[in-house]
Amino acid sequence: MTLDTLEELAAYLAGAFDSGDAAVLRDALDLASRADATAHLAAAAGVPQATLRAAFASGEMDLETTLAVMKVIDLHLPG
């Protein structure tokens, strides 16, 4: 799968978050770490591209980065 646009990446990540399955999310973050569109997501979130790629690759994002990504992909916390 290639994720070339911000819209494709946002939809893919939103679906992974919505699945509620940690393995699905981990795989999605791993793919996102290598996706071309991650450069667009990083710019839209105001996060350095290298920082976002590293966070996706490790599966560990700080709260600030997580919230910035969630805002761009229009993902809301339940409740």
Side-chain angles (χ1 to χ4, degrees):
M1 170 183 282
T2 60
L3 300 168
D4 298 323
T5 69
L6 178 56
E7 293 77 16
E8 290 170 344
L9 182 58
Y12 181 69
L13 289 175
F17 276 106
D18 286 343
S19 76
D21 184 323
V24 169
L25 181 56
R26 178 74 198 109
D27 288 345
L29 292 175
D30 184 57
L31 181 60
S33 74
R34 300 182 310 275
D36 289 341
T38 299
H40 304 297
L41 178 57
V47 177
Q49 185 181 155
T51 299
L52 187 57
R53 287 189 187 279
F56 283 165
S58 71
E60 296 182 17
M61 291 190 291
D62 61 29
L63 183 56
E64 185 176 325
T65 301
T66 301
L67 293 174
V69 168
M70 289 174 67
K71 183 177 179 180
V72 171
I73 66 174
D74 199 27
L75 187 65
H76 304 280
L77 294 172

PDB file of all heavy atoms in Angstrom, residues 37-76:
ATOM      1  N   ALA A  37       3.410  10.583   2.260  1.00  0.00           N
ATOM      2  CA  ALA A  37       2.473  11.574   2.788  1.00  0.00           C
ATOM      3  C   ALA A  37       2.794  12.017   4.213  1.00  0.00           C
ATOM      4  O   ALA A  37       2.269  13.028   4.683  1.00  0.00           O
ATOM      5  CB  ALA A  37       1.042  11.041   2.727  1.00  0.00           C
ATOM      6  N   THR A  38       3.685  11.296   4.888  1.00  0.00           N
ATOM      7  CA  THR A  38       4.046  11.694   6.247  1.00  0.00           C
ATOM      8  C   THR A  38       4.696  13.076   6.248  1.00  0.00           C
ATOM      9  O   THR A  38       4.542  13.834   7.208  1.00  0.00           O
ATOM     10  CB  THR A  38       4.942  10.635   6.905  1.00  0.00           C
ATOM     11  OG1 THR A  38       4.197   9.415   6.964  1.00  0.00           O
ATOM     12  CG2 THR A  38       5.339  11.021   8.314  1.00  0.00           C
ATOM     13  N   ALA A  39       5.359  13.434   5.179  1.00  0.00           N
ATOM     14  CA  ALA A  39       5.928  14.782   5.081  1.00  0.00           C
ATOM     15  C   ALA A  39       4.819  15.829   5.117  1.00  0.00           C
ATOM     16  O   ALA A  39       4.950  16.862   5.780  1.00  0.00           O
ATOM     17  CB  ALA A  39       6.731  14.916   3.794  1.00  0.00           C
ATOM     18  N   HIS A  40       3.709  15.557   4.441  1.00  0.00           N
ATOM     19  CA  HIS A  40       2.570  16.483   4.431  1.00  0.00           C
ATOM     20  C   HIS A  40       1.895  16.534   5.803  1.00  0.00           C
ATOM     21  O   HIS A  40       1.502  17.605   6.270  1.00  0.00           O
ATOM     22  CB  HIS A  40       1.548  16.076   3.369  1.00  0.00           C
ATOM     23  CG  HIS A  40       2.122  15.981   1.995  1.00  0.00           C
ATOM     24  ND1 HIS A  40       2.646  17.062   1.323  1.00  0.00           N
ATOM     25  CD2 HIS A  40       2.267  14.917   1.165  1.00  0.00           C
ATOM     26  CE1 HIS A  40       3.083  16.675   0.135  1.00  0.00           C
ATOM     27  NE2 HIS A  40       2.866  15.374   0.026  1.00  0.00           N
ATOM     28  N   LEU A  41       1.767  15.369   6.443  1.00  0.00           N
ATOM     29  CA  LEU A  41       1.153  15.313   7.769  1.00  0.00           C
ATOM     30  C   LEU A  41       2.012  16.071   8.777  1.00  0.00           C
ATOM     31  O   LEU A  41       1.486  16.828   9.603  1.00  0.00           O
ATOM     32  CB  LEU A  41       0.967  13.860   8.207  1.00  0.00           C
ATOM     33  CG  LEU A  41       0.375  13.627   9.594  1.00  0.00           C
ATOM     34  CD1 LEU A  41      -0.980  14.304   9.746  1.00  0.00           C
ATOM     35  CD2 LEU A  41       0.274  12.137   9.883  1.00  0.00           C
ATOM     36  N   ALA A  42       3.309  15.886   8.709  1.00  0.00           N
ATOM     37  CA  ALA A  42       4.213  16.593   9.623  1.00  0.00           C
ATOM     38  C   ALA A  42       4.075  18.100   9.460  1.00  0.00           C
ATOM     39  O   ALA A  42       3.976  18.833  10.454  1.00  0.00           O
ATOM     40  CB  ALA A  42       5.654  16.156   9.388  1.00  0.00           C
ATOM     41  N   ALA A  43       4.039  18.566   8.224  1.00  0.00           N
ATOM     42  CA  ALA A  43       3.894  20.008   7.972  1.00  0.00           C
ATOM     43  C   ALA A  43       2.564  20.517   8.499  1.00  0.00           C
ATOM     44  O   ALA A  43       2.499  21.570   9.144  1.00  0.00           O
ATOM     45  CB  ALA A  43       4.025  20.293   6.479  1.00  0.00           C
ATOM     46  N   ALA A  44       1.490  19.776   8.254  1.00  0.00           N
ATOM     47  CA  ALA A  44       0.164  20.206   8.700  1.00  0.00           C
ATOM     48  C   ALA A  44       0.052  20.197  10.220  1.00  0.00           C
ATOM     49  O   ALA A  44      -0.664  21.020  10.802  1.00  0.00           O
ATOM     50  CB  ALA A  44      -0.911  19.307   8.086  1.00  0.00           C
ATOM     51  N   ALA A  45       0.759  19.268  10.867  1.00  0.00           N
ATOM     52  CA  ALA A  45       0.708  19.159  12.328  1.00  0.00           C
ATOM     53  C   ALA A  45       1.709  20.076  13.014  1.00  0.00           C
ATOM     54  O   ALA A  45       1.694  20.211  14.234  1.00  0.00           O
ATOM     55  CB  ALA A  45       0.958  17.709  12.750  1.00  0.00           C
ATOM     56  N   GLY A  46       2.611  20.677  12.237  1.00  0.00           N
ATOM     57  CA  GLY A  46       3.621  21.551  12.829  1.00  0.00           C
ATOM     58  C   GLY A  46       4.687  20.778  13.599  1.00  0.00           C
ATOM     59  O   GLY A  46       5.239  21.273  14.577  1.00  0.00           O
ATOM     60  N   VAL A  47       4.968  19.574  13.126  1.00  0.00           N
ATOM     61  CA  VAL A  47       5.944  18.695  13.772  1.00  0.00           C
ATOM     62  C   VAL A  47       7.061  18.437  12.764  1.00  0.00           C
ATOM     63  O   VAL A  47       6.788  18.179  11.592  1.00  0.00           O
ATOM     64  CB  VAL A  47       5.277  17.349  14.163  1.00  0.00           C
ATOM     65  CG1 VAL A  47       6.279  16.389  14.761  1.00  0.00           C
ATOM     66  CG2 VAL A  47       4.109  17.583  15.105  1.00  0.00           C
ATOM     67  N   PRO A  48       8.325  18.493  13.185  1.00  0.00           N
ATOM     68  CA  PRO A  48       9.401  18.169  12.245  1.00  0.00           C
ATOM     69  C   PRO A  48       9.206  16.770  11.658  1.00  0.00           C
ATOM     70  O   PRO A  48       8.873  15.817  12.374  1.00  0.00           O
ATOM     71  CB  PRO A  48      10.667  18.236  13.102  1.00  0.00           C
ATOM     72  CG  PRO A  48      10.311  19.146  14.232  1.00  0.00           C
ATOM     73  CD  PRO A  48       8.852  18.872  14.503  1.00  0.00           C
ATOM     74  N   GLN A  49       9.424  16.657  10.357  1.00  0.00           N
ATOM     75  CA  GLN A  49       9.199  15.391   9.664  1.00  0.00           C
ATOM     76  C   GLN A  49       9.994  14.250  10.296  1.00  0.00           C
ATOM     77  O   GLN A  49       9.465  13.161  10.514  1.00  0.00           O
ATOM     78  CB  GLN A  49       9.560  15.547   8.186  1.00  0.00           C
ATOM     79  CG  GLN A  49       9.255  14.324   7.380  1.00  0.00           C
ATOM     80  CD  GLN A  49       9.639  14.475   5.927  1.00  0.00           C
ATOM     81  OE1 GLN A  49       9.883  13.476   5.287  1.00  0.00           O
ATOM     82  NE2 GLN A  49       9.710  15.661   5.379  1.00  0.00           N
ATOM     83  N   ALA A  50      11.250  14.485  10.603  1.00  0.00           N
ATOM     84  CA  ALA A  50      12.084  13.432  11.189  1.00  0.00           C
ATOM     85  C   ALA A  50      11.533  12.983  12.540  1.00  0.00           C
ATOM     86  O   ALA A  50      11.557  11.790  12.859  1.00  0.00           O
ATOM     87  CB  ALA A  50      13.525  13.916  11.334  1.00  0.00           C
ATOM     88  N   THR A  51      11.010  13.922  13.300  1.00  0.00           N
ATOM     89  CA  THR A  51      10.427  13.596  14.607  1.00  0.00           C
ATOM     90  C   THR A  51       9.195  12.729  14.442  1.00  0.00           C
ATOM     91  O   THR A  51       9.021  11.736  15.159  1.00  0.00           O
ATOM     92  CB  THR A  51      10.069  14.890  15.365  1.00  0.00           C
ATOM     93  OG1 THR A  51      11.255  15.650  15.564  1.00  0.00           O
ATOM     94  CG2 THR A  51       9.407  14.594  16.700  1.00  0.00           C
ATOM     95  N   LEU A  52       8.334  13.092  13.494  1.00  0.00           N
ATOM     96  CA  LEU A  52       7.110  12.322  13.287  1.00  0.00           C
ATOM     97  C   LEU A  52       7.431  10.929  12.757  1.00  0.00           C
ATOM     98  O   LEU A  52       6.866   9.938  13.222  1.00  0.00           O
ATOM     99  CB  LEU A  52       6.167  13.060  12.339  1.00  0.00           C
ATOM    100  CG  LEU A  52       4.785  12.435  12.173  1.00  0.00           C
ATOM    101  CD1 LEU A  52       4.077  12.299  13.520  1.00  0.00           C
ATOM    102  CD2 LEU A  52       3.943  13.256  11.216  1.00  0.00           C
ATOM    103  N   ARG A  53       8.346  10.846  11.799  1.00  0.00           N
ATOM    104  CA  ARG A  53       8.718   9.528  11.264  1.00  0.00           C
ATOM    105  C   ARG A  53       9.303   8.640  12.367  1.00  0.00           C
ATOM    106  O   ARG A  53       8.981   7.455  12.456  1.00  0.00           O
ATOM    107  CB  ARG A  53       9.706   9.673  10.117  1.00  0.00           C
ATOM    108  CG  ARG A  53       9.066  10.198   8.850  1.00  0.00           C
ATOM    109  CD  ARG A  53      10.023  10.137   7.666  1.00  0.00           C
ATOM    110  NE  ARG A  53       9.454  10.797   6.513  1.00  0.00           N
ATOM    111  CZ  ARG A  53       8.576  10.264   5.677  1.00  0.00           C
ATOM    112  NH1 ARG A  53       8.139   9.039   5.896  1.00  0.00           N
ATOM    113  NH2 ARG A  53       8.125  10.947   4.638  1.00  0.00           N
ATOM    114  N   ALA A  54      10.141   9.206  13.219  1.00  0.00           N
ATOM    115  CA  ALA A  54      10.733   8.435  14.318  1.00  0.00           C
ATOM    116  C   ALA A  54       9.667   7.988  15.314  1.00  0.00           C
ATOM    117  O   ALA A  54       9.701   6.851  15.805  1.00  0.00           O
ATOM    118  CB  ALA A  54      11.812   9.253  15.017  1.00  0.00           C
ATOM    119  N   ALA A  55       8.723   8.871  15.603  1.00  0.00           N
ATOM    120  CA  ALA A  55       7.643   8.521  16.529  1.00  0.00           C
ATOM    121  C   ALA A  55       6.790   7.395  15.958  1.00  0.00           C
ATOM    122  O   ALA A  55       6.435   6.448  16.663  1.00  0.00           O
ATOM    123  CB  ALA A  55       6.786   9.750  16.823  1.00  0.00           C
ATOM    124  N   PHE A  56       6.444   7.490  14.671  1.00  0.00           N
ATOM    125  CA  PHE A  56       5.676   6.431  14.039  1.00  0.00           C
ATOM    126  C   PHE A  56       6.449   5.120  14.039  1.00  0.00           C
ATOM    127  O   PHE A  56       5.896   4.063  14.345  1.00  0.00           O
ATOM    128  CB  PHE A  56       5.313   6.801  12.599  1.00  0.00           C
ATOM    129  CG  PHE A  56       4.180   7.784  12.447  1.00  0.00           C
ATOM    130  CD1 PHE A  56       3.979   8.423  11.240  1.00  0.00           C
ATOM    131  CD2 PHE A  56       3.313   8.071  13.483  1.00  0.00           C
ATOM    132  CE1 PHE A  56       2.927   9.317  11.051  1.00  0.00           C
ATOM    133  CE2 PHE A  56       2.268   8.971  13.321  1.00  0.00           C
ATOM    134  CZ  PHE A  56       2.073   9.585  12.104  1.00  0.00           C
ATOM    135  N   ALA A  57       7.728   5.180  13.704  1.00  0.00           N
ATOM    136  CA  ALA A  57       8.542   3.965  13.621  1.00  0.00           C
ATOM    137  C   ALA A  57       8.671   3.275  14.979  1.00  0.00           C
ATOM    138  O   ALA A  57       8.644   2.048  15.061  1.00  0.00           O
ATOM    139  CB  ALA A  57       9.918   4.293  13.056  1.00  0.00           C
ATOM    140  N   SER A  58       8.789   4.065  16.039  1.00  0.00           N
ATOM    141  CA  SER A  58       8.939   3.485  17.376  1.00  0.00           C
ATOM    142  C   SER A  58       7.597   3.113  17.998  1.00  0.00           C
ATOM    143  O   SER A  58       7.548   2.332  18.947  1.00  0.00           O
ATOM    144  CB  SER A  58       9.662   4.463  18.299  1.00  0.00           C
ATOM    145  OG  SER A  58       8.815   5.568  18.611  1.00  0.00           O
ATOM    146  N   GLY A  59       6.529   3.705  17.478  1.00  0.00           N
ATOM    147  CA  GLY A  59       5.210   3.472  18.066  1.00  0.00           C
ATOM    148  C   GLY A  59       4.997   4.253  19.340  1.00  0.00           C
ATOM    149  O   GLY A  59       4.050   4.001  20.086  1.00  0.00           O
ATOM    150  N   GLU A  60       5.880   5.214  19.598  1.00  0.00           N
ATOM    151  CA  GLU A  60       5.791   5.998  20.826  1.00  0.00           C
ATOM    152  C   GLU A  60       5.775   7.479  20.472  1.00  0.00           C
ATOM    153  O   GLU A  60       6.773   8.029  20.024  1.00  0.00           O
ATOM    154  CB  GLU A  60       6.972   5.694  21.738  1.00  0.00           C
ATOM    155  CG  GLU A  60       6.991   4.258  22.208  1.00  0.00           C
ATOM    156  CD  GLU A  60       8.127   3.959  23.162  1.00  0.00           C
ATOM    157  OE1 GLU A  60       8.718   4.907  23.719  1.00  0.00           O
ATOM    158  OE2 GLU A  60       8.422   2.776  23.328  1.00  0.00           O
ATOM    159  N   MET A  61       4.624   8.103  20.697  1.00  0.00           N
ATOM    160  CA  MET A  61       4.495   9.536  20.436  1.00  0.00           C
ATOM    161  C   MET A  61       4.159  10.237  21.744  1.00  0.00           C
ATOM    162  O   MET A  61       3.370   9.722  22.538  1.00  0.00           O
ATOM    163  CB  MET A  61       3.369   9.807  19.428  1.00  0.00           C
ATOM    164  CG  MET A  61       3.685   9.319  18.042  1.00  0.00           C
ATOM    165  SD  MET A  61       2.499   9.884  16.803  1.00  0.00           S
ATOM    166  CE  MET A  61       1.048   8.980  17.272  1.00  0.00           C
ATOM    167  N   ASP A  62       4.763  11.403  21.932  1.00  0.00           N
ATOM    168  CA  ASP A  62       4.404  12.168  23.119  1.00  0.00           C
ATOM    169  C   ASP A  62       2.999  12.738  22.923  1.00  0.00           C
ATOM    170  O   ASP A  62       2.443  12.707  21.820  1.00  0.00           O
ATOM    171  CB  ASP A  62       5.435  13.253  23.425  1.00  0.00           C
ATOM    172  CG  ASP A  62       5.586  14.290  22.325  1.00  0.00           C
ATOM    173  OD1 ASP A  62       4.617  14.564  21.586  1.00  0.00           O
ATOM    174  OD2 ASP A  62       6.683  14.848  22.199  1.00  0.00           O
ATOM    175  N   LEU A  63       2.424  13.221  23.995  1.00  0.00           N
ATOM    176  CA  LEU A  63       1.047  13.702  23.949  1.00  0.00           C
ATOM    177  C   LEU A  63       0.883  14.856  22.974  1.00  0.00           C
ATOM    178  O   LEU A  63      -0.082  14.904  22.212  1.00  0.00           O
ATOM    179  CB  LEU A  63       0.583  14.117  25.350  1.00  0.00           C
ATOM    180  CG  LEU A  63      -0.872  14.564  25.460  1.00  0.00           C
ATOM    181  CD1 LEU A  63      -1.822  13.483  24.952  1.00  0.00           C
ATOM    182  CD2 LEU A  63      -1.201  14.945  26.887  1.00  0.00           C
ATOM    183  N   GLU A  64       1.839  15.771  22.948  1.00  0.00           N
ATOM    184  CA  GLU A  64       1.753  16.929  22.058  1.00  0.00           C
ATOM    185  C   GLU A  64       1.710  16.491  20.589  1.00  0.00           C
ATOM    186  O   GLU A  64       0.890  16.977  19.815  1.00  0.00           O
ATOM    187  CB  GLU A  64       2.947  17.856  22.296  1.00  0.00           C
ATOM    188  CG  GLU A  64       2.889  19.134  21.501  1.00  0.00           C
ATOM    189  CD  GLU A  64       4.047  20.060  21.839  1.00  0.00           C
ATOM    190  OE1 GLU A  64       4.473  20.107  23.004  1.00  0.00           O
ATOM    191  OE2 GLU A  64       4.515  20.733  20.916  1.00  0.00           O
ATOM    192  N   THR A  65       2.566  15.560  20.224  1.00  0.00           N
ATOM    193  CA  THR A  65       2.591  15.061  18.848  1.00  0.00           C
ATOM    194  C   THR A  65       1.311  14.300  18.532  1.00  0.00           C
ATOM    195  O   THR A  65       0.717  14.474  17.458  1.00  0.00           O
ATOM    196  CB  THR A  65       3.820  14.161  18.623  1.00  0.00           C
ATOM    197  OG1 THR A  65       5.006  14.907  18.891  1.00  0.00           O
ATOM    198  CG2 THR A  65       3.865  13.615  17.207  1.00  0.00           C
ATOM    199  N   THR A  66       0.873  13.465  19.467  1.00  0.00           N
ATOM    200  CA  THR A  66      -0.358  12.698  19.263  1.00  0.00           C
ATOM    201  C   THR A  66      -1.543  13.619  19.018  1.00  0.00           C
ATOM    202  O   THR A  66      -2.322  13.417  18.087  1.00  0.00           O
ATOM    203  CB  THR A  66      -0.636  11.794  20.474  1.00  0.00           C
ATOM    204  OG1 THR A  66       0.471  10.909  20.660  1.00  0.00           O
ATOM    205  CG2 THR A  66      -1.910  10.985  20.283  1.00  0.00           C
ATOM    206  N   LEU A  67      -1.684  14.642  19.844  1.00  0.00           N
ATOM    207  CA  LEU A  67      -2.810  15.568  19.690  1.00  0.00           C
ATOM    208  C   LEU A  67      -2.717  16.354  18.388  1.00  0.00           C
ATOM    209  O   LEU A  67      -3.742  16.594  17.730  1.00  0.00           O
ATOM    210  CB  LEU A  67      -2.892  16.507  20.888  1.00  0.00           C
ATOM    211  CG  LEU A  67      -3.266  15.836  22.212  1.00  0.00           C
ATOM    212  CD1 LEU A  67      -3.184  16.838  23.359  1.00  0.00           C
ATOM    213  CD2 LEU A  67      -4.639  15.190  22.140  1.00  0.00           C
ATOM    214  N   ALA A  68      -1.512  16.732  17.987  1.00  0.00           N
ATOM    215  CA  ALA A  68      -1.347  17.464  16.724  1.00  0.00           C
ATOM    216  C   ALA A  68      -1.749  16.593  15.540  1.00  0.00           C
ATOM    217  O   ALA A  68      -2.439  17.054  14.624  1.00  0.00           O
ATOM    218  CB  ALA A  68       0.095  17.936  16.574  1.00  0.00           C
ATOM    219  N   VAL A  69      -1.356  15.324  15.563  1.00  0.00           N
ATOM    220  CA  VAL A  69      -1.726  14.402  14.492  1.00  0.00           C
ATOM    221  C   VAL A  69      -3.231  14.152  14.507  1.00  0.00           C
ATOM    222  O   VAL A  69      -3.881  14.168  13.460  1.00  0.00           O
ATOM    223  CB  VAL A  69      -0.937  13.079  14.615  1.00  0.00           C
ATOM    224  CG1 VAL A  69      -1.514  11.997  13.709  1.00  0.00           C
ATOM    225  CG2 VAL A  69       0.532  13.311  14.305  1.00  0.00           C
ATOM    226  N   MET A  70      -3.786  13.936  15.683  1.00  0.00           N
ATOM    227  CA  MET A  70      -5.230  13.706  15.792  1.00  0.00           C
ATOM    228  C   MET A  70      -6.024  14.873  15.223  1.00  0.00           C
ATOM    229  O   MET A  70      -7.038  14.675  14.553  1.00  0.00           O
ATOM    230  CB  MET A  70      -5.621  13.453  17.247  1.00  0.00           C
ATOM    231  CG  MET A  70      -5.158  12.111  17.769  1.00  0.00           C
ATOM    232  SD  MET A  70      -5.481  11.892  19.536  1.00  0.00           S
ATOM    233  CE  MET A  70      -7.273  11.853  19.546  1.00  0.00           C
ATOM    234  N   LYS A  71      -5.569  16.077  15.472  1.00  0.00           N
ATOM    235  CA  LYS A  71      -6.261  17.265  14.969  1.00  0.00           C
ATOM    236  C   LYS A  71      -6.248  17.283  13.440  1.00  0.00           C
ATOM    237  O   LYS A  71      -7.274  17.550  12.808  1.00  0.00           O
ATOM    238  CB  LYS A  71      -5.612  18.524  15.526  1.00  0.00           C
ATOM    239  CG  LYS A  71      -6.302  19.793  15.106  1.00  0.00           C
ATOM    240  CD  LYS A  71      -5.667  21.006  15.754  1.00  0.00           C
ATOM    241  CE  LYS A  71      -6.361  22.275  15.295  1.00  0.00           C
ATOM    242  NZ  LYS A  71      -5.768  23.460  15.907  1.00  0.00           N
ATOM    243  N   VAL A  72      -5.105  16.980  12.850  1.00  0.00           N
ATOM    244  CA  VAL A  72      -4.994  17.005  11.390  1.00  0.00           C
ATOM    245  C   VAL A  72      -5.860  15.915  10.761  1.00  0.00           C
ATOM    246  O   VAL A  72      -6.516  16.152   9.747  1.00  0.00           O
ATOM    247  CB  VAL A  72      -3.528  16.856  10.938  1.00  0.00           C
ATOM    248  CG1 VAL A  72      -3.442  16.673   9.430  1.00  0.00           C
ATOM    249  CG2 VAL A  72      -2.712  18.061  11.372  1.00  0.00           C
ATOM    250  N   ILE A  73      -5.865  14.719  11.348  1.00  0.00           N
ATOM    251  CA  ILE A  73      -6.647  13.642  10.746  1.00  0.00           C
ATOM    252  C   ILE A  73      -8.092  13.655  11.228  1.00  0.00           C
ATOM    253  O   ILE A  73      -8.867  12.759  10.891  1.00  0.00           O
ATOM    254  CB  ILE A  73      -5.989  12.258  10.938  1.00  0.00           C
ATOM    255  CG1 ILE A  73      -5.961  11.833  12.397  1.00  0.00           C
ATOM    256  CG2 ILE A  73      -4.610  12.230  10.342  1.00  0.00           C
ATOM    257  CD1 ILE A  73      -5.460  10.405  12.597  1.00  0.00           C
ATOM    258  N   ASP A  74      -8.447  14.682  11.989  1.00  0.00           N
ATOM    259  CA  ASP A  74      -9.826  14.885  12.458  1.00  0.00           C
ATOM    260  C   ASP A  74     -10.313  13.696  13.288  1.00  0.00           C
ATOM    261  O   ASP A  74     -11.417  13.199  13.102  1.00  0.00           O
ATOM    262  CB  ASP A  74     -10.774  15.151  11.290  1.00  0.00           C
ATOM    263  CG  ASP A  74     -12.070  15.807  11.754  1.00  0.00           C
ATOM    264  OD1 ASP A  74     -12.056  16.499  12.786  1.00  0.00           O
ATOM    265  OD2 ASP A  74     -13.098  15.594  11.074  1.00  0.00           O
ATOM    266  N   LEU A  75      -9.458  13.247  14.200  1.00  0.00           N
ATOM    267  CA  LEU A  75      -9.779  12.153  15.091  1.00  0.00           C
ATOM    268  C   LEU A  75     -10.071  12.740  16.457  1.00  0.00           C
ATOM    269  O   LEU A  75      -9.284  13.540  16.975  1.00  0.00           O
ATOM    270  CB  LEU A  75      -8.597  11.183  15.162  1.00  0.00           C
ATOM    271  CG  LEU A  75      -8.803   9.886  15.918  1.00  0.00           C
ATOM    272  CD1 LEU A  75      -9.849   9.019  15.221  1.00  0.00           C
ATOM    273  CD2 LEU A  75      -7.493   9.126  16.006  1.00  0.00           C
ATOM    274  N   HIS A  76     -11.185  12.359  17.040  1.00  0.00           N
ATOM    275  CA  HIS A  76     -11.602  12.932  18.316  1.00  0.00           C
ATOM    276  C   HIS A  76     -11.590  11.858  19.409  1.00  0.00           C
ATOM    277  O   HIS A  76     -11.888  10.695  19.151  1.00  0.00           O
ATOM    278  CB  HIS A  76     -13.009  13.513  18.209  1.00  0.00           C
ATOM    279  CG  HIS A  76     -13.118  14.528  17.130  1.00  0.00           C
ATOM    280  ND1 HIS A  76     -12.697  15.834  17.273  1.00  0.00           N
ATOM    281  CD2 HIS A  76     -13.550  14.421  15.850  1.00  0.00           C
ATOM    282  CE1 HIS A  76     -12.892  16.487  16.165  1.00  0.00           C
ATOM    283  NE2 HIS A  76     -13.411  15.661  15.268  1.00  0.00           N
TER     284      HIS A  76
END
